Each structure stands twice: as C-alpha cells, then as structure tokens.
Amino acid sequence: MTVLDELWREIDATMSTEGFKIEILDGKVVMTPRTPEQDWTIDEIKSAARRTGLTRERLVSDVAIDFPDETSSAPDVAILDNGAHRTQNRFTCVDLLAAFEVVSRPGDPNDYVLKVEKYGRYGVGVYVVADPFTRICTVFEQPQGTGYGERTEVRYGESFDVRLSTGEAFTVDTGTFPSKST
C-alpha cells in the first residue's frame, strides 16, 4: 500500500464528504463537488445496465477500486465482475469490467488523460467519459499498455453499446443525458 493510498483511506474514514467526490490523482488530492447533472447521468447509466439484468451488487458509484502500485480510483459508475472480491468497502481492479466518469470541469485532464492511461494499463475493458459540457460521450475499448486501441465519440441524443468481457452487453441511450454550460 502506498502512502497516498493510506491518505486516501484516512480521508475516507475520517471526513464527511457527502456531496463531494475525493480522489488522489497524479499525487494530488482532488475534491470535486457533485452536480445534479452528474447525478442524473450516473442514474441513467446504472438504469441502462440494470434493465439488461446486471444486478445492483455489480454496479457501484464512487466506491474505491484498488490498483497495484498506484492510488485507488472511485469511478462515477463501476461495473464489477460476478463474484467480485470485496475487502471492507473496496474492490480490486481485476474485477473492474467497465468504468464511467461524468466530467465535472470542461476538458478535465483527470478523466481524459490520467484515467484513460491507468484504466487501459490495467486492462479495464470499457471506459466511458460522459461530458455534459461538450455533449459527447467518449467510449474507449481495447485496453493496451498506454491507454486504449479504440476511441469512439457519441453525441448526446445517440445510443451506444457497452460490451463487457463476460459477453454481457447493454445499450446506453444518451437522449436524456443533461448538458451543462461553463
């Protein structure tokens, strides 16, 4: 466990962070307030997954996912494998099938650069960035050592399919995703 992971666990255990998402990214503590647009988008993504039979136990939001030799992440929506191993309130990246982030600031490098590299490096099968400022979802697939081999942009109002490594799939309709101005 790294010093930053210890800090992350201490923050998680001692601070009231309701309404905020806290992550340690690239050695910095990032505390982001939740917006209604993020909450509504997260709800739409989880509802799409649930409609196709994914159980709530496999869908978590802002729950720590541990990565070996790196700080943990807490995706806005994480889809876990069947029988994912839970340690207290955390899971490990080996059970992370897909991650979704809803951008909280325009052009956020955490979502568009750091997490693309990290999730790809650890083999997370699908990573989706929903951006209420540009009204575009960016779908990353085919993980590889430095990111992803395939990147597809889907405008809000269109649908896209999420195909998990388990063979399960579901469609996300972005027609009700809310937008946000800067």
Side-chain angles (χ1 to χ4, degrees):
M1 180 182 318
T2 67
V3 171
L4 290 175
D5 262 334
E6 289 178 27
L7 174 62
W8 205 91
R9 289 173 193 258
E10 184 68 23
I11 289 170
D12 194 37
T14 61
M15 292 182 64
S16 173
T17 58
E18 189 172 332
F20 288 87
K21 178 177 181 174
I22 296 179
E23 290 183 286
I24 299 174
L25 298 166
D26 204 22
K28 299 176 192 129
V29 176
V30 179
M31 187 169 174
T32 310
R34 274 270 177 246
T35 67
E37 290 80 10
Q38 285 173 297
D39 189 56
W40 298 326
T41 303
I42 289 166
D43 185 56
E44 291 295 327
I45 293 165
K46 289 174 86 172
S47 292
R50 293 279 310 270
R51 278 193 296 276
T52 60
L54 289 174
T55 62
R56 70 174 178 212
E57 291 80 15
R58 295 180 59 200
L59 298 166
V60 295
S61 292
D62 299 329
V63 172
I65 307 291
D66 292 330
F67 291 80
D69 302 320
E70 293 198 37
T71 56
S72 302
S73 291
D76 290 330
V77 177
I79 299 178
L80 303 169
D81 203 355
N82 280 310
H85 179 72
R86 179 178 173 175
T87 303
Q88 296 175 338
N89 291 323
R90 310 170 81 81
F91 294 91
T92 65
C93 65
V94 297
D95 291 319
L96 182 60
L97 301 177
F100 296 78
E101 295 288 355
V102 182
V103 174
S104 57
R105 298 177 304 193
D108 188 350
N110 295 325
D111 294 332
Y112 283 109
V113 178
L114 297 175
K115 292 178 184 176
V116 170
E117 293 170 357
K118 181 177 186 174
Y119 294 157
R121 185 169 50 254
Y122 284 96
V124 177
V126 180
Y127 174 50
V128 178
V129 179
D131 191 329
F133 300 97
T134 62
R135 297 185 44 77
I136 293 174
C137 283
T138 307
V139 182
F140 297 92
E141 297 174 293
Q142 300 176 2
Q144 44 190 312
T146 57
Y148 287 85
E150 187 174 317
R151 172 189 170 131
T152 306
E153 291 188 349
V154 179
R155 294 194 179 286
Y156 277 25
E158 299 173 3
S159 297
F160 63 91
D161 292 329
V162 175
R163 291 174 198 83
L164 304 176
S165 61
T166 57
E168 298 162 296
F170 63 95
T171 300
V172 177
D173 179 0
T174 67
T176 59
F177 282 15
S179 61
K180 186 166 176 56
S181 58
T182 55

